[in-house]
Amino acid sequence: MMLPQASSFAPNVDHLFDALLLLCALVVVGVFTLMIVFCVKYRHGTDAVRTPAHQHLGVELTWTLVPFFLFMGIFGWSVHLWIRMRTPPKDAQPVYVVAKQWMWKVQHPGGQREIDQLHVPVGQPIRLVMTSQDVIHSFYVPAFRVKQDVLPGRYTQLWFTATEAGTYHLFCAEFCGTDHSRMRGRVVVMAPSDYARWLHAHQGTGLAAQGADLFRQLGCSGCHDPQSGVHAPDLYDLYGRTVPLADGSQVLADERYLHDAILLPKKQVAAGYAPIMPSFEGRIGEEDVLALVAYLKTRTHAAEDTDEHR
Amino acid sequence: MSTVELPTPRSYLEEGFGLRSWLTTHDHKRIAVLYGIGITFFFFLGGLAAALIRWELVTPAGDLLSAETYNKAFTFHGVVMVWFFLIPSIPATLGNFLLPLMIGARDVAFPRLNLFSWYLYMGGGVFTLACLLLGGVDTGWTFYTPFSTMFSNSHVMMAVAGVFIVGFSSIFTGLNFIVTVHTLRAPGMTWMRLPLFVWSMYAVALVMILATPVLAMTLALIGLERLFGVGIFDPALGGDPVLFQHFFWFYSHPAVYIMILPGMGLVSELITHGARRRIFGYRFMVYAIIGIAVVGFLVWGHHMFVAGQSMYASIVFSILSFIIAVPSAIKVFNWTATLYKGDISFDAPMLYALGFVGLFMLGGLTGLFLAATALDVNLTDTYFVVAHFHYIMVGGAVMAYLGGIHYWWPKITGRMYSEAWARFAAILMFFGFNLTFFPQYILGWEGMPRRYHEYLPQFQVWNVLSSAGATILGVAYLMPLLYLAWSLRHGERAGSNPWDATGLEWQTSSPPPPHNFDETPLVTEGPYAYRR
Ligand code: HEM
Ligand SMILES: [Cu+2]
């Protein structure tokens, strides 16, 4: 009944856990032994020597500070690991997750969609970009030692590299209403070749292509195309750039920024533009926003150039 | 044991007999008894819900309760246990009863306010019971938004109203205690001569009046959003769902110390008496109490490591959480050292106190696993957390409370209980407790999420053990109810100081007269004046 170690984090987390467990066990054994020895030796009626007590500053400082520094070591180790767990590598493959009462909807960049399942290859860092349609959920895969709350109206992310092919449990860990305990799924980890075959078999319209269609249908292109007469920001090369805002601050145009710019355009107005963009809040769902964001990420001059050369 | 009865005036219990004389009393001791009755009622009601939860979890398929009912059961269990048992338990009963006695005062500073606090407590209770009768609430005791504001179809407003009202009861109790300790100490009772229980009541009172208003405000905001659609927490209305968690834990983390600090105070009294020896490191114990109360305000973010809070914020909250372990460790070490060269007898209060130290340690150390960000990722929102907080709140606070009730029972009622039964119950409770909650640590590390009404079959073995333990624990909790009730009629008369203990409360008769002391005591030395 041991928990499988199926991600690159798992062994590290487990080592840290074991180390802390050992340290705690030492403290527990130490204190319990003392308590039991004292309780036996000094129980009422024995003739042990009972001289009056003294306060002892040295003793107090020693037994406080020595364990404290040992535990600080654990803290440092934990922080080191934590920063790694929270910093996805640049080459991580994005996969989009939308949670809703009570299911997990997954979209791959190639347009593959699945419900309550996530297929990933061994050895490839995967970055999940997640949001919720309703309440707070939490994406939890014990075998990977990863968990992240999934919030409505905001993107959160999670990354991992699976190391063992197999099928693992996916749970919703944040109470989300009646069927919370049924909001479960599976993560299927496949050898890269199997994964490539799976992707091929489930190919749909790519996410970016869906986004491109939406971009036209919803009328975004009316304002944002370079030929447009409306004074609106050019969206080429936007992703990853730093955008100056009307209030004088700056913001990194990441996925969260793009998401908010579509749903809550008044929240962060780009410097030099009138706040005339309508909000799409309530008009389109989170999955559509994901498609639009995926599309915007492909809109770089570099990508466009190579397209033309093809 | 000295059972010589001094010629005493009428006791506070004989001051008047009708219901009216109780419901209009201003005597802190009677108010303590009134609280005791209410709190016992809610404890067993919450316990009944716990039994339902645990029996449901004997099998992996949710076959005893529907998902809906299960969710309402753990919510009711949590709401009742936190706000109607744990938070008021020690301060409102033993605190109310003992605080004036221990500092040599005739009553608390504001006796009417004290009675009013009890009415608020009961009033809040009425709302909570009404909520249950209407069909209950399914948000969990944490009321996380936007589920509680926009998605739950249960009686959220009723539950929130109950908690809102009972919050004021704790604010007023806190206020009363602070003013009492500042103004009504007997001559010679300096700050560094206060018993540790009084110190813990004082610290708790500060936390109560500083933190509880935040809770009241947060609950009011839930009301605004639910009733009027004001967008505070719901992103669909332009709000921030994580904001609620910040507000909530800014109250609720300090509230954890409202639950455990009184226990620490009590256990210090019980151990020093059980070992018949001065407490080791009195000053450090006082500093530790203050340290816990202060740092307790700075660690709320450790509930939110995976909630979407920034990576760096989490690191800060993590280190602060490691630091708060220091004063807790000081307390454990000093209790242990107090046993050294003692003259220890193992009567029931001492057994409860020793049980407390063991369980509190296991609960506290596992808190470090949760404070370590990288480990918390796997553990949070699993049964590991359920085990951790039960070790602290049930293994800690409830054990201390029962130990205290036993120790001061002769003072409160004038009667002795059956020592044999009391020891047996304490030991059974310790065993049942560990069987119930230790398996949950394992379940949590292996990934069983909390608040699950159905679970994977692979988790069943540990769940069955846990449910078996809970049944034993339930029986152990019923036992004191029976033998203590029995003692009211048949118990031996106690005499003013049956334990031969130190402390001002033992210098007056049992039960004490309405005005506590015939003449104001004069304090000439520190607490715990045992010979060693
Ligand atoms: C026989 C004793 C008890 C048993 C068997 C028991 C069992 C449980 C279980 C299984 C849960 C988790 C429910 C879930 O997450 O699905 C729970 C939650 C909880 N328990 Fe207990 N419990 C007991 C006593 C207590 C006591 C005495 C207190 C407080 C003094 C307490 C406070 C809580 C709280 C605050 C929660 C959280 C509720 C929530 O998740 O919303 N429990 N209990
Ligand atoms: Cu969910």
Side-chain angles (χ1 to χ4, degrees):
Chain A
M1 266 203 63
M2 283 297 289
L3 195 54
Q5 294 183 327
S7 78
S8 59
F9 298 134
N12 299 313
V13 172
D14 289 4
H15 288 149
L16 177 59
F17 183 85
D18 293 342
L20 184 52
L21 194 62
L22 185 73
L23 200 55
C24 289
L26 285 178
V27 175
V28 169
V29 170
V31 174
F32 280 13
T33 309
L34 279 179
M35 280 177 69
I36 291 170
V37 168
F38 293 163
C39 279
V40 173
K41 186 161 174 208
Y42 298 109
R43 71 186 182 279
H44 181 67
T46 60
D47 51 10
V49 188
R50 296 181 171 94
T51 47
H54 299 286
Q55 307 301 12
H56 207 300
L57 190 64
V59 174
E60 298 236 18
L61 288 179
T62 315
W63 73 33
T64 311
L65 293 181
V66 171
F68 178 69
F69 286 113
L70 287 174
F71 283 108
M72 276 295 119
I74 296 281
F75 166 77
W77 181 353
S78 164
V79 165
H80 180 73
L81 186 52
W82 167 250
I83 292 178
R84 196 153 76 81
M85 291 171 90
R86 289 279 138 164
T87 320
K90 286 271 177 300
D91 64 338
Q93 164 89 32
V95 175
Y96 301 91
V97 176
V98 176
K100 56 191 283 186
Q101 287 175 325
W102 290 276
M103 64 170 83
W104 299 103
K105 299 170 97 176
V106 176
Q107 298 193 31
H108 297 261
Q112 296 82 354
R113 291 161 177 264
E114 23 185 354
I115 288 186
D116 289 343
Q117 295 209 17
L118 167 65
H119 285 75
V120 295
V122 168
Q124 158 78 44
I126 302 285
R127 183 170 66 99
L128 301 182
V129 178
M130 307 186 290
T131 188
S132 161
Q133 200 102 295
D134 38 48
V135 303
I136 300 176
H137 302 272
S138 188
F139 190 97
Y140 177 32
V141 185
F144 296 172
R145 315 288 187 275
V146 295
K147 183 186 289 131
Q148 171 62 50
D149 284 6
V150 180
L151 306 173
R154 205 201 277 187
Y155 285 139
T156 52
Q157 64 174 8
L158 172 75
W159 83 277
F160 59 84
T161 304
T163 50
E164 292 282 333
T167 303
Y168 304 99
H169 293 291
L170 157 65
F171 296 116
C172 176
E174 183 67 66
F175 179 68
C176 60
T178 310
D179 277 340
H180 168 56
S181 61
R182 289 196 185 155
M183 192 165 157
R184 302 196 294 245
R186 323 187 287 154
V187 180
V188 183
V189 178
M190 307 169 104
S193 56
D194 294 340
Y195 180 70
R197 225 169 295 132
W198 181 87
L199 278 184
H200 189 72
H202 292 81
Q203 204 141 46
T205 318
L207 203 52
Q210 293 169 35
D213 284 346
L214 284 170
F215 197 72
R216 242 166 291 118
Q217 281 165 27
L218 295 171
C220 315
S221 50
C223 294
H224 287 290
D225 265 359
Q227 304 91 318
S228 160
V230 182
H231 182 59
D234 176 12
L235 301 184
Y236 277 95
D237 282 336
L238 178 57
Y239 182 71
R241 218 169 62 198
T242 306
V243 180
L245 297 180
D247 64 7
S249 61
Q250 296 203 326
V251 62
L252 176 71
D254 55 5
E255 283 149 342
R256 187 203 55 78
Y257 172 76
L258 297 179
H259 171 273
D260 289 357
I262 297 167
L263 293 184
L264 308 165
K266 305 264 182 315
K267 191 171 138 194
Q268 292 173 310
V269 179
Y273 297 93
I276 53 172
M277 173 163 159
S279 164
F280 288 83
E281 175 95 57
R283 289 178 55 196
I284 58 176
E286 286 293 352
E287 287 156 79
D288 294 334
V289 182
L290 281 174
L292 283 168
V293 170
Y295 169 61
L296 292 177
K297 283 164 67 175
T298 63
R299 289 195 76 178
T300 61
H301 287 106
E304 217 86 343
D305 291 348
T306 46
D307 278 355
E308 272 157 27
H309 286 294
R310 251 195 225 131
Chain B
M1 272 198 197
S2 72
T3 41
V4 199
E5 197 68 33
L6 303 165
T8 50
R10 279 181 310 162
S11 84
Y12 80 100
L13 292 171
E14 294 156 29
E15 257 272 286
F17 292 92
L19 195 58
R20 211 189 125 93
S21 75
W22 280 86
L23 294 182
T24 58
T25 182
H26 293 157
D27 183 340
H28 67 101
K29 299 182 290 302
R30 288 194 161 209
I31 295 172
V33 172
L34 289 176
Y35 267 116
I37 295 168
I39 278 162
T40 308
F41 171 75
F42 280 110
F43 179 75
F44 283 97
L45 207 60
L48 202 64
L52 284 179
I53 299 170
R54 240 8 290 178
W55 291 333
E56 158 69 45
L57 294 173
V58 170
T59 61
D63 40 16
L64 178 66
L65 307 174
S66 69
E68 197 72 52
T69 315
Y70 179 85
N71 297 344
K72 288 177 177 171
F74 77 66
T75 303
F76 183 74
H77 171 68
V79 168
V80 164
M81 286 303 196
V82 168
W83 280 296
F84 293 90
F85 177 73
L86 281 171
I87 289 182
S89 60
I90 298 177
T93 54
L94 291 169
N96 245 327
F97 195 95
L98 294 171
L99 187 75
L101 285 170
M102 283 183 159
I103 62 172
R106 300 175 70 111
D107 205 323
V108 291
F110 308 117
R112 278 164 204 275
L113 185 65
N114 202 14
L115 181 66
F116 181 56
S117 306
W118 181 75
Y119 276 103
L120 283 174
Y121 170 78
M122 294 307 279
V126 167
F127 273 85
T128 305
L129 291 178
C131 169
L132 182 69
L133 294 178
L134 288 173
V137 60
D138 69 347
T139 56
W141 76 280
T142 48
F143 298 116
Y144 271 19
T145 59
F147 181 68
S148 66
T149 55
M150 304 311 279
F151 290 87
S152 170
N153 292 318
S154 59
H155 298 274
V156 178
M157 283 319 299
M158 205 55 142
V160 164
V163 174
F164 185 84
I165 295 171
V166 81
F168 283 92
S169 156
S170 91
I171 293 174
F172 291 143
T173 303
L175 190 71
N176 223 333
F177 284 5
I178 290 173
V179 178
T180 306
V181 175
H182 272 275
T183 59
L184 298 182
R185 281 171 287 135
M189 179 59 89
T190 59
W191 286 92
M192 281 297 151
R193 286 180 181 169
L194 289 180
L196 288 171
F197 180 61
V198 174
W199 264 112
S200 76
M201 282 297 109
Y202 181 74
V204 157
L206 284 175
V207 179
M208 279 176 169
I209 65 169
L210 292 176
T212 319
V214 180
L215 174 74
M217 178 195 81
T218 312
L219 295 174
L221 292 178
I222 289 189
L224 277 182
E225 185 157 304
R226 247 188 111 81
L227 299 175
F228 306 111
V230 179
I232 300 158
F233 306 123
D234 184 3
L237 304 171
D240 177 358
V242 181
L243 182 64
F244 174 84
Q245 297 179 27
H246 282 288
F247 286 157
F248 181 82
W249 289 114
F250 186 79
Y251 162 76
S252 289
H253 195 85
V256 174
Y257 298 104
I258 300 181
M259 306 175 204
I260 197 67
L261 275 170
M264 294 175 154
L266 277 187
V267 164
S268 303
E269 304 290 326
L270 302 184
I271 289 200
T272 179
H273 165 260
R276 306 207 64 74
R277 187 170 174 287
R278 288 167 197 263
I279 198 91
F280 185 90
Y282 171 84
R283 265 173 195 275
F284 269 79
M285 293 299 253
V286 172
Y287 301 149
I289 289 175
I290 299 169
I292 290 172
V294 172
V295 187
F297 276 97
L298 305 177
V299 299
W300 78 92
H302 68 205
H303 297 269
M304 298 161 63
F305 290 156
V306 302
Q309 149 184 295
S310 96
M311 178 173 86
Y312 299 103
S314 296
I315 293 173
V316 173
F317 283 120
S318 172
I319 192 161
L320 288 167
S321 307
F322 271 83
I323 287 172
I324 203 172
V326 173
S328 311
I330 291 180
K331 307 227 67 136
V332 170
F333 293 146
N334 284 17
W335 288 322
T336 308
T338 303
L339 300 174
Y340 178 61
K341 296 192 172 174
D343 184 9
I344 309 171
S345 37
F346 300 96
D347 40 30
M350 184 63 168
L351 290 182
Y352 279 108
L354 292 173
F356 170 99
V357 178
L359 300 178
F360 174 73
M361 243 179 90
L362 291 179
L365 287 171
T366 51
L368 293 174
F369 290 75
L370 297 167
T373 42
L375 295 178
D376 179 71
V377 171
N378 191 45
L379 296 172
T380 188
D381 276 322
T382 69
Y383 262 83
F384 194 93
V385 173
V386 177
H388 161 70
F389 70 62
H390 280 88
Y391 264 83
I392 299 281
M393 299 188 331
V394 185
V398 178
M399 291 295 258
Y401 177 63
L402 287 172
I405 290 284
H406 282 81
Y407 184 55
W408 282 286
W409 188 257
K411 183 53 61 184
I412 298 170
T413 65
R415 302 279 188 164
M416 299 303 295
Y417 48 82
S418 154
E419 181 64 30
W421 277 104
R423 287 186 194 183
F424 178 61
I427 291 167
L428 190 66
M429 216 174 274
F430 187 81
F431 172 75
F433 179 88
N434 281 297
L435 185 58
T436 310
F437 293 107
F438 201 84
Q440 296 182 6
Y441 280 129
I442 300 167
L443 280 173
W445 175 246
E446 290 186 346
M448 176 163 162
R450 71 192 281 208
R451 298 175 168 176
Y452 262 30
H453 146 262
E454 293 177 357
Y455 57 87
L456 300 179
Q458 74 195 61
F459 297 130
Q460 190 174 7
V461 176
W462 298 115
N463 271 298
V464 169
L465 285 178
S466 178
S467 298
T471 310
I472 295 174
L473 188 56
V475 172
Y477 280 144
L478 281 169
M479 285 170 42
L481 197 64
L482 300 179
Y483 64 74
L484 288 179
W486 184 88
S487 80
L488 288 178
R489 256 178 182 286
H490 308 285
E492 198 186 323
R493 297 254 170 212
S496 58
N497 189 359
W499 307 114
D500 197 13
T502 68
L504 293 184
E505 78 272 25
W506 300 108
Q507 294 182 15
T508 185
S509 55
S510 304
H515 50 275
N516 291 352
F517 298 97
D518 289 333
E519 41 192 288
T520 308
L522 179 70
V523 183
T524 51
E525 59 177 331
Y528 319 121
Y530 295 105
R531 282 202 317 286
R532 287 178 264 266

